[in-house]
Amino acid sequence: MADDRPASIFFFAPFVSSTMVIEPGWIDYNGHLNMAYYHVLFDRAVDEAFGVVGLGPDYLESGRGTTFAAEVHVRYRRELVLDDPIRVTLQLIAFDEKRLHFYSEIRHAAEGWVAASSENLSLHVDPATRRVAPFPEDIQANLAVMLGSHARLPRPDDLGRVIGIPARGHHRPDTMAFAAGGARVRH
C-alpha cells in the first residue's frame, strides 16, 4: 500500500536563488542596473522560492491559485553593473491564511555584498474570481515548515523601514513662499 502522506520538504534558511547575471538590456544611461530590473531579479527569485512550497507557475496552471503583490518596499544599497553575478536570498517573515510577508536581498554572488533589499506583502488569489482567497491546507502546511526554518534567522534590519527625510532641525518649506516666488503650487 502506497504512503499517502505528503513528502516532507526542507528549506535552507534563508532560501538562496540560482545565480543570475545582469543582462545588457537592463543597463540604463547611468551605466548601472535600471531600478525596474531589481524587481525582475527579486520576482524571479520569489518564483523559485515559492515554487518549493507549491506556489510556482504550475500552481496557477492547475487553477488552484496564485499570488499577487500587495505592497513592496525596495531599498537600493549598491550599484550593479553589466555581467555582475547575483543571488537573491528570501526569508519568510510571516503568513496567514491569505497573505505572505517576506524579505529578500540581492547579493553579489562572488563578493557577497548586498545590492538591494525588498520587503513584500503578497496575497493569495483565486484565479477564477480574481479575489483574495485562503491558501489550501497543503500549501499552508508547507509554508509552516518554511516559516519554522526561517524563524531561526535574525530579524532583518531593513524590515519595516519607513520612507522619509529625517528631521535635522530643518522645517518644511512654506508653500506660500514658493508660490510668492513664482512657483506653481498644487493643493
PDB file of all heavy atoms in Angstrom, residues 2 8 16 18 32 51 65 74-75 81 92 98 101 103 113 130 132-133 135 142 146 165-166 180:
ATOM      1  N   ALA A   2       0.603   2.157  -0.891  1.00  0.00           N
ATOM      2  CA  ALA A   2       1.398   3.377  -1.019  1.00  0.00           C
ATOM      3  C   ALA A   2       1.156   4.303   0.163  1.00  0.00           C
ATOM      4  O   ALA A   2       0.063   4.345   0.719  1.00  0.00           O
ATOM      5  CB  ALA A   2       1.049   4.094  -2.314  1.00  0.00           C
ATOM      6  N   SER A   8       7.848  15.252   3.000  1.00  0.00           N
ATOM      7  CA  SER A   8       8.317  16.386   3.788  1.00  0.00           C
ATOM      8  C   SER A   8       9.216  17.255   2.925  1.00  0.00           C
ATOM      9  O   SER A   8       9.857  16.775   1.995  1.00  0.00           O
ATOM     10  CB  SER A   8       9.061  15.905   5.034  1.00  0.00           C
ATOM     11  OG  SER A   8      10.221  15.202   4.652  1.00  0.00           O
ATOM     12  N   VAL A  16      18.094  30.533  -0.976  1.00  0.00           N
ATOM     13  CA  VAL A  16      19.055  31.193  -1.863  1.00  0.00           C
ATOM     14  C   VAL A  16      18.729  30.790  -3.293  1.00  0.00           C
ATOM     15  O   VAL A  16      18.656  29.602  -3.613  1.00  0.00           O
ATOM     16  CB  VAL A  16      20.511  30.808  -1.519  1.00  0.00           C
ATOM     17  CG1 VAL A  16      21.488  31.504  -2.458  1.00  0.00           C
ATOM     18  CG2 VAL A  16      20.834  31.141  -0.068  1.00  0.00           C
ATOM     19  N   SER A  18      19.034  30.577  -7.556  1.00  0.00           N
ATOM     20  CA  SER A  18      20.084  30.242  -8.505  1.00  0.00           C
ATOM     21  C   SER A  18      20.832  31.530  -8.861  1.00  0.00           C
ATOM     22  O   SER A  18      20.341  32.632  -8.622  1.00  0.00           O
ATOM     23  CB  SER A  18      19.483  29.610  -9.759  1.00  0.00           C
ATOM     24  OG  SER A  18      18.577  30.512 -10.367  1.00  0.00           O
ATOM     25  N   HIS A  32      24.431  51.630 -15.013  1.00  0.00           N
ATOM     26  CA  HIS A  32      24.182  50.601 -13.994  1.00  0.00           C
ATOM     27  C   HIS A  32      22.783  50.011 -14.196  1.00  0.00           C
ATOM     28  O   HIS A  32      22.026  50.461 -15.047  1.00  0.00           O
ATOM     29  CB  HIS A  32      24.389  51.133 -12.578  1.00  0.00           C
ATOM     30  CG  HIS A  32      23.476  52.256 -12.196  1.00  0.00           C
ATOM     31  ND1 HIS A  32      23.819  53.200 -11.284  1.00  0.00           N
ATOM     32  CD2 HIS A  32      22.225  52.596 -12.593  1.00  0.00           C
ATOM     33  CE1 HIS A  32      22.837  54.063 -11.117  1.00  0.00           C
ATOM     34  NE2 HIS A  32      21.847  53.711 -11.897  1.00  0.00           N
ATOM     35  N   GLY A  51       8.047  28.297  -5.458  1.00  0.00           N
ATOM     36  CA  GLY A  51       7.850  27.050  -6.196  1.00  0.00           C
ATOM     37  C   GLY A  51       8.116  25.847  -5.309  1.00  0.00           C
ATOM     38  O   GLY A  51       7.468  24.804  -5.426  1.00  0.00           O
ATOM     39  N   GLY A  65      -4.662  28.454  -7.568  1.00  0.00           N
ATOM     40  CA  GLY A  65      -4.446  29.794  -7.052  1.00  0.00           C
ATOM     41  C   GLY A  65      -3.178  30.412  -7.583  1.00  0.00           C
ATOM     42  O   GLY A  65      -2.452  29.815  -8.380  1.00  0.00           O
ATOM     43  N   VAL A  74      11.443  48.624  -1.603  1.00  0.00           N
ATOM     44  CA  VAL A  74      12.792  48.284  -2.066  1.00  0.00           C
ATOM     45  C   VAL A  74      13.768  49.344  -1.585  1.00  0.00           C
ATOM     46  O   VAL A  74      13.487  50.539  -1.656  1.00  0.00           O
ATOM     47  CB  VAL A  74      12.847  48.165  -3.606  1.00  0.00           C
ATOM     48  CG1 VAL A  74      14.277  47.916  -4.080  1.00  0.00           C
ATOM     49  CG2 VAL A  74      11.940  47.038  -4.085  1.00  0.00           C
ATOM     50  N   ARG A  75      14.904  48.877  -1.129  1.00  0.00           N
ATOM     51  CA  ARG A  75      15.992  49.773  -0.746  1.00  0.00           C
ATOM     52  C   ARG A  75      17.190  49.437  -1.627  1.00  0.00           C
ATOM     53  O   ARG A  75      17.696  48.318  -1.600  1.00  0.00           O
ATOM     54  CB  ARG A  75      16.341  49.584   0.730  1.00  0.00           C
ATOM     55  CG  ARG A  75      17.413  50.528   1.195  1.00  0.00           C
ATOM     56  CD  ARG A  75      17.628  50.395   2.692  1.00  0.00           C
ATOM     57  NE  ARG A  75      18.639  51.346   3.118  1.00  0.00           N
ATOM     58  CZ  ARG A  75      19.430  51.158   4.151  1.00  0.00           C
ATOM     59  NH1 ARG A  75      19.298  50.070   4.897  1.00  0.00           N
ATOM     60  NH2 ARG A  75      20.329  52.055   4.468  1.00  0.00           N
ATOM     61  N   VAL A  81      26.257  46.303 -12.117  1.00  0.00           N
ATOM     62  CA  VAL A  81      26.625  46.652 -13.481  1.00  0.00           C
ATOM     63  C   VAL A  81      26.592  45.401 -14.359  1.00  0.00           C
ATOM     64  O   VAL A  81      26.419  44.283 -13.867  1.00  0.00           O
ATOM     65  CB  VAL A  81      28.020  47.334 -13.537  1.00  0.00           C
ATOM     66  CG1 VAL A  81      27.997  48.671 -12.795  1.00  0.00           C
ATOM     67  CG2 VAL A  81      29.101  46.424 -12.974  1.00  0.00           C
ATOM     68  N   LEU A  92      11.025  34.076   4.756  1.00  0.00           N
ATOM     69  CA  LEU A  92       9.606  34.200   5.074  1.00  0.00           C
ATOM     70  C   LEU A  92       9.504  34.751   6.492  1.00  0.00           C
ATOM     71  O   LEU A  92      10.035  34.173   7.430  1.00  0.00           O
ATOM     72  CB  LEU A  92       8.909  32.844   4.965  1.00  0.00           C
ATOM     73  CG  LEU A  92       7.395  32.832   5.211  1.00  0.00           C
ATOM     74  CD1 LEU A  92       6.659  33.716   4.199  1.00  0.00           C
ATOM     75  CD2 LEU A  92       6.864  31.394   5.143  1.00  0.00           C
ATOM     76  N   LYS A  98      -4.265  33.971   4.046  1.00  0.00           N
ATOM     77  CA  LYS A  98      -4.382  34.630   2.739  1.00  0.00           C
ATOM     78  C   LYS A  98      -3.179  35.483   2.344  1.00  0.00           C
ATOM     79  O   LYS A  98      -3.151  36.002   1.240  1.00  0.00           O
ATOM     80  CB  LYS A  98      -5.621  35.534   2.724  1.00  0.00           C
ATOM     81  CG  LYS A  98      -6.927  34.799   2.931  1.00  0.00           C
ATOM     82  CD  LYS A  98      -8.089  35.768   2.943  1.00  0.00           C
ATOM     83  CE  LYS A  98      -9.403  35.052   3.208  1.00  0.00           C
ATOM     84  NZ  LYS A  98     -10.528  36.003   3.241  1.00  0.00           N
ATOM     85  N   HIS A 101       4.256  37.525   4.094  1.00  0.00           N
ATOM     86  CA  HIS A 101       5.150  38.653   4.361  1.00  0.00           C
ATOM     87  C   HIS A 101       6.563  38.087   4.280  1.00  0.00           C
ATOM     88  O   HIS A 101       6.913  37.167   5.021  1.00  0.00           O
ATOM     89  CB  HIS A 101       4.862  39.214   5.758  1.00  0.00           C
ATOM     90  CG  HIS A 101       5.740  40.368   6.137  1.00  0.00           C
ATOM     91  ND1 HIS A 101       5.947  40.719   7.450  1.00  0.00           N
ATOM     92  CD2 HIS A 101       6.456  41.267   5.410  1.00  0.00           C
ATOM     93  CE1 HIS A 101       6.738  41.774   7.510  1.00  0.00           C
ATOM     94  NE2 HIS A 101       7.066  42.121   6.274  1.00  0.00           N
ATOM     95  N   TYR A 103      10.983  38.880   3.068  1.00  0.00           N
ATOM     96  CA  TYR A 103      12.086  39.825   2.918  1.00  0.00           C
ATOM     97  C   TYR A 103      13.136  39.172   2.039  1.00  0.00           C
ATOM     98  O   TYR A 103      13.461  37.992   2.219  1.00  0.00           O
ATOM     99  CB  TYR A 103      12.662  40.143   4.303  1.00  0.00           C
ATOM    100  CG  TYR A 103      13.909  40.973   4.267  1.00  0.00           C
ATOM    101  CD1 TYR A 103      13.835  42.359   4.157  1.00  0.00           C
ATOM    102  CD2 TYR A 103      15.165  40.386   4.337  1.00  0.00           C
ATOM    103  CE1 TYR A 103      14.991  43.134   4.121  1.00  0.00           C
ATOM    104  CE2 TYR A 103      16.320  41.153   4.311  1.00  0.00           C
ATOM    105  CZ  TYR A 103      16.223  42.518   4.201  1.00  0.00           C
ATOM    106  OH  TYR A 103      17.358  43.277   4.155  1.00  0.00           O
ATOM    107  N   TRP A 113      28.298  41.165  -1.114  1.00  0.00           N
ATOM    108  CA  TRP A 113      27.689  42.408  -0.632  1.00  0.00           C
ATOM    109  C   TRP A 113      26.243  42.532  -1.098  1.00  0.00           C
ATOM    110  O   TRP A 113      25.834  41.947  -2.081  1.00  0.00           O
ATOM    111  CB  TRP A 113      28.511  43.631  -1.030  1.00  0.00           C
ATOM    112  CG  TRP A 113      29.029  43.693  -2.435  1.00  0.00           C
ATOM    113  CD1 TRP A 113      30.278  43.314  -2.866  1.00  0.00           C
ATOM    114  CD2 TRP A 113      28.330  44.158  -3.600  1.00  0.00           C
ATOM    115  NE1 TRP A 113      30.391  43.521  -4.221  1.00  0.00           N
ATOM    116  CE2 TRP A 113      29.211  44.039  -4.697  1.00  0.00           C
ATOM    117  CE3 TRP A 113      27.060  44.658  -3.820  1.00  0.00           C
ATOM    118  CZ2 TRP A 113      28.854  44.401  -5.995  1.00  0.00           C
ATOM    119  CZ3 TRP A 113      26.697  45.023  -5.119  1.00  0.00           C
ATOM    120  CH2 TRP A 113      27.600  44.891  -6.181  1.00  0.00           C
ATOM    121  N   ARG A 130     -10.461  36.152  -9.240  1.00  0.00           N
ATOM    122  CA  ARG A 130      -9.525  37.278  -9.096  1.00  0.00           C
ATOM    123  C   ARG A 130      -9.701  37.961  -7.737  1.00  0.00           C
ATOM    124  O   ARG A 130      -9.473  39.134  -7.583  1.00  0.00           O
ATOM    125  CB  ARG A 130      -9.667  38.296 -10.223  1.00  0.00           C
ATOM    126  CG  ARG A 130      -9.633  37.748 -11.630  1.00  0.00           C
ATOM    127  CD  ARG A 130      -8.319  37.237 -12.041  1.00  0.00           C
ATOM    128  NE  ARG A 130      -7.398  38.306 -12.432  1.00  0.00           N
ATOM    129  CZ  ARG A 130      -6.211  38.056 -12.952  1.00  0.00           C
ATOM    130  NH1 ARG A 130      -5.839  36.811 -13.150  1.00  0.00           N
ATOM    131  NH2 ARG A 130      -5.406  39.027 -13.263  1.00  0.00           N
ATOM    132  N   VAL A 132      -9.051  37.658  -3.337  1.00  0.00           N
ATOM    133  CA  VAL A 132      -8.214  37.055  -2.305  1.00  0.00           C
ATOM    134  C   VAL A 132      -8.961  35.862  -1.716  1.00  0.00           C
ATOM    135  O   VAL A 132     -10.172  35.932  -1.466  1.00  0.00           O
ATOM    136  CB  VAL A 132      -7.871  38.093  -1.218  1.00  0.00           C
ATOM    137  CG1 VAL A 132      -7.060  37.471  -0.102  1.00  0.00           C
ATOM    138  CG2 VAL A 132      -7.115  39.269  -1.840  1.00  0.00           C
ATOM    139  N   ALA A 133      -8.221  34.767  -1.531  1.00  0.00           N
ATOM    140  CA  ALA A 133      -8.819  33.518  -1.036  1.00  0.00           C
ATOM    141  C   ALA A 133      -7.808  32.803  -0.138  1.00  0.00           C
ATOM    142  O   ALA A 133      -6.599  33.016  -0.262  1.00  0.00           O
ATOM    143  CB  ALA A 133      -9.192  32.625  -2.220  1.00  0.00           C
ATOM    144  N   PHE A 135      -5.252  30.034   1.341  1.00  0.00           N
ATOM    145  CA  PHE A 135      -4.364  29.012   0.805  1.00  0.00           C
ATOM    146  C   PHE A 135      -4.967  27.646   1.105  1.00  0.00           C
ATOM    147  O   PHE A 135      -5.565  27.455   2.172  1.00  0.00           O
ATOM    148  CB  PHE A 135      -2.993  29.050   1.506  1.00  0.00           C
ATOM    149  CG  PHE A 135      -2.135  30.225   1.174  1.00  0.00           C
ATOM    150  CD1 PHE A 135      -1.978  31.258   2.084  1.00  0.00           C
ATOM    151  CD2 PHE A 135      -1.455  30.292  -0.030  1.00  0.00           C
ATOM    152  CE1 PHE A 135      -1.165  32.340   1.805  1.00  0.00           C
ATOM    153  CE2 PHE A 135      -0.640  31.379  -0.321  1.00  0.00           C
ATOM    154  CZ  PHE A 135      -0.494  32.398   0.595  1.00  0.00           C
ATOM    155  N   ASN A 142       3.106  23.556   4.061  1.00  0.00           N
ATOM    156  CA  ASN A 142       4.441  23.794   3.516  1.00  0.00           C
ATOM    157  C   ASN A 142       4.987  25.149   3.972  1.00  0.00           C
ATOM    158  O   ASN A 142       6.171  25.271   4.301  1.00  0.00           O
ATOM    159  CB  ASN A 142       4.420  23.729   1.989  1.00  0.00           C
ATOM    160  CG  ASN A 142       4.207  22.331   1.467  1.00  0.00           C
ATOM    161  OD1 ASN A 142       4.325  21.339   2.211  1.00  0.00           O
ATOM    162  ND2 ASN A 142       3.887  22.220   0.203  1.00  0.00           N
ATOM    163  N   MET A 146       8.431  26.120   6.070  1.00  0.00           N
ATOM    164  CA  MET A 146       9.364  27.166   5.644  1.00  0.00           C
ATOM    165  C   MET A 146       9.529  28.213   6.746  1.00  0.00           C
ATOM    166  O   MET A 146      10.647  28.616   7.072  1.00  0.00           O
ATOM    167  CB  MET A 146       8.869  27.825   4.357  1.00  0.00           C
ATOM    168  CG  MET A 146       9.788  28.872   3.796  1.00  0.00           C
ATOM    169  SD  MET A 146       9.079  29.590   2.287  1.00  0.00           S
ATOM    170  CE  MET A 146      10.566  29.944   1.368  1.00  0.00           C
ATOM    171  N   ILE A 165      12.381  61.822   5.023  1.00  0.00           N
ATOM    172  CA  ILE A 165      13.594  62.599   5.229  1.00  0.00           C
ATOM    173  C   ILE A 165      13.706  62.866   6.721  1.00  0.00           C
ATOM    174  O   ILE A 165      12.820  63.503   7.308  1.00  0.00           O
ATOM    175  CB  ILE A 165      13.554  63.913   4.429  1.00  0.00           C
ATOM    176  CG1 ILE A 165      13.435  63.602   2.936  1.00  0.00           C
ATOM    177  CG2 ILE A 165      14.787  64.763   4.728  1.00  0.00           C
ATOM    178  CD1 ILE A 165      13.195  64.818   2.064  1.00  0.00           C
ATOM    179  N   PRO A 166      14.774  62.360   7.351  1.00  0.00           N
ATOM    180  CA  PRO A 166      14.908  62.557   8.796  1.00  0.00           C
ATOM    181  C   PRO A 166      14.979  64.044   9.157  1.00  0.00           C
ATOM    182  O   PRO A 166      15.615  64.826   8.456  1.00  0.00           O
ATOM    183  CB  PRO A 166      16.221  61.864   9.146  1.00  0.00           C
ATOM    184  CG  PRO A 166      16.582  61.037   7.964  1.00  0.00           C
ATOM    185  CD  PRO A 166      15.890  61.626   6.785  1.00  0.00           C
ATOM    186  N   ALA A 180       4.748  82.680  -3.813  1.00  0.00           N
ATOM    187  CA  ALA A 180       5.073  84.100  -3.986  1.00  0.00           C
ATOM    188  C   ALA A 180       6.279  84.286  -4.895  1.00  0.00           C
ATOM    189  O   ALA A 180       6.393  85.283  -5.599  1.00  0.00           O
ATOM    190  CB  ALA A 180       5.321  84.754  -2.632  1.00  0.00           C
TER     191      ALA A 180
END
